[in-house]
Amino acid sequence: MKLKLEDENRFITYQDDPVIQKRRWIILIVLNLFTFMSTLDGSIVNIALPVIAKRMDLTVAEAEWIVTAYLMTICAAILFFGKLGDIVGKIKVFKWGMIIFTLGSLLCGFSFSLPLLLGSRLLQALGAAMTMANSQGIITDIFPTTERGKALGLIGTFVSLGSIAGPSLGGFIVSGLGWEYIFLVNIPVGLIAIAIGWKVLPADRTKLKVLIDKAGGLLFPLFIIALFSGLLLGQQVGYGDMRIVAALIISAIVFVIFLFVEIRKPEPMLKLTLFKNPLFSLSILCGFLVFVANFCFNIIAPFYTQSILNLTPSHAGLLLMLFPIVMVIVAPLSGALSDKIGSELLTFAGLIVMVIAQVGLARLHSGSSIILVGSWIGMLGLGSGLFQSPNNSLVMSKVPKTQLGIAGSINSLVRNMGMVVGITVATTTLFGVMSNLAGHRVTGLVPGRPDLFLSGMHVVFMTSASICLVAAALTGWRLWSAKRTLRREHLRSR
């Protein structure tokens, strides 16, 4: 991360360069724009699937691959691009990711058949993976430690905003303009961000002189494809199907082989030594659990608001927007506060608030008032906002500067895997409860039986509350350990 100046016999970092420091908030805006768009495109398509399926004459199962192909590609490629960023430069990879994502978005908007749309989505996902894998590393490189929590908090806000705001924002775009515009809206924003980024993003100063890990680069995507295919197809045909069982077994075997290969390599794609730091590992795990819980809400809430409360899509969208709105307000404040008082207490408080909100959502019914529903949704946004920014800061602050790219990609990977696992947990639990009560296999809403859905919804939200409670217990242990360490150091100093 050091560059020898030609005119001065000294070394400087990004944080010592006054020109870069003057531009750091503009750089953050560019990073946030692509973070928001790439994350948004993982969830915004959900609400457009019925329209796309009707236009292209697709089955529901075929249409779902428009969403899952995007998420699978990101998860499969993100570690590779994180490592590539450490080798050739995080900013260079991010810049090319901006171009590829914008081009993919343009092609998606003009794709009028499933093969073309899937191909365009794969290209778009590669660009998204390139930007996601390196944005947090760039921030950690450029921002001083006194502002790092605030900066990571803002990017964490846009990550969660993109993942949660998709259904509500997509509803307005599809209703007013058409499904193509959920992709085409990225074009003007992307071009502006590219123009600004090419001007303000500095040259890379951190590069590792190592070879690309080809074995890891092949094994990890194979693991992701086998795992996601098993999880997502299992919802349609049942997890007892031998093909699904085989896919999950293959994913487990490939993952074990991947770990064995990575342990033996001197410069692996996934630096497993990072996980020897308990704070890093615990923060990554808690981040994963929170995204699982949030996506349980993201899947269930639109059905509850529209099918049970009988709200219109636009009114339901406005109600669900309370989550990202509250989060946008709270997360930057939480990030800034973590720079002053530390991150452990804030992450613990955020998780406790999320547990309370999830339990509140589990008590809703068909006669619940809009004010009560909105209060619990807003509280969930409050808890998530308190948690995300300090947790991102904890993850990135425990990593050597030469490994910021791979650490950022790990953080983004577990976030995207959390989305997929959250979808799987929510739908499997919901339809499992409904099928048990109905006495036959249920894979959708049953007309005239809102009680079936509500029973399943209650179990889903109690499950997500339990997931948040596990994360809170782990974070509470981390907070207690940190305080105990401080007390020991204080006693020694005396």
Side-chain angles (χ1 to χ4, degrees), residues 434-473:
M434 292 177 69
S435 299
N436 186 52
L437 293 175
H440 57 85
R441 183 170 173 75
V442 174
T443 58
L445 295 175
V446 179
R449 294 293 307 273
D451 59 302
L452 295 179
F453 175 83
L454 286 170
S455 296
M457 183 187 83
H458 293 158
V459 176
V460 170
F461 282 134
M462 287 307 297
T463 301
S464 60
S466 300
I467 291 170
C468 288
L469 188 61
V470 170

Side-chain angles (χ1 to χ4, degrees), residues 7 21 64 102 105 110 115 144-145 153 157 160 166 183 247 255 265 297 305 317 326 358 365 401 426 428 446 453 491:
D7 58 337
Q21 289 306 298
E64 282 183 351
T102 305
S105 298
F110 290 100
T145 54
T157 300
S160 296
F183 302 113
F255 185 64
K265 279 188 173 289
F297 167 81
T305 53
V326 173
Q358 297 277 7
H365 50 80
K401 293 188 182 300
T428 302
V446 179
F453 175 83
L491 289 172

Side-chain angles (χ1 to χ4, degrees), residues 232-286:
L232 297 168
L233 290 174
Q235 297 175 61
Q236 299 172 20
V237 300
Y239 291 101
D241 189 288
M242 287 307 299
R243 294 168 297 177
I244 304 304
V245 173
L248 295 175
I249 291 173
I250 289 170
S251 72
I253 294 171
V254 171
F255 185 64
V256 171
I257 296 171
F258 169 74
L259 293 178
F260 179 76
V261 169
E262 295 299 278
I263 289 171
R264 294 169 63 88
K265 279 188 173 289
E267 288 295 335
M269 185 176 74
L270 177 59
K271 201 80 172 178
L272 295 173
T273 53
L274 288 173
F275 294 95
K276 289 183 178 179
N277 186 323
L279 286 178
F280 176 84
S281 300
L282 192 57
S283 299
I284 286 288
L285 175 59
C286 289

Side-chain angles (χ1 to χ4, degrees), residues 41-46 48-54 56 58-73 108 111 113-122 124-125 179 182-183 232:
D41 274 50
S43 62
I44 196 172
V45 182
N46 285 316
L49 286 183
V51 178
I52 296 174
K54 187 176 181 181
M56 296 186 180
L58 305 174
T59 65
V60 174
E62 289 172 334
E64 282 183 351
W65 281 105
I66 300 169
V67 177
T68 55
Y70 181 82
L71 291 174
M72 284 175 65
T73 304
C108 284
S111 297
S113 69
L114 182 61
L116 282 176
L117 185 53
L118 287 177
S120 301
R121 284 288 275 173
L122 292 178
Q124 190 189 35
W179 72 264
I182 62 176
F183 302 113
L232 297 168

Side-chain angles (χ1 to χ4, degrees), residues 382-398:
L382 170 64
S384 192
L386 283 171
F387 170 83
Q388 290 289 355
S389 306
N391 195 66
N392 283 339
S393 183
L394 278 171
V395 168
M396 299 305 291
S397 65
K398 305 301 177 185

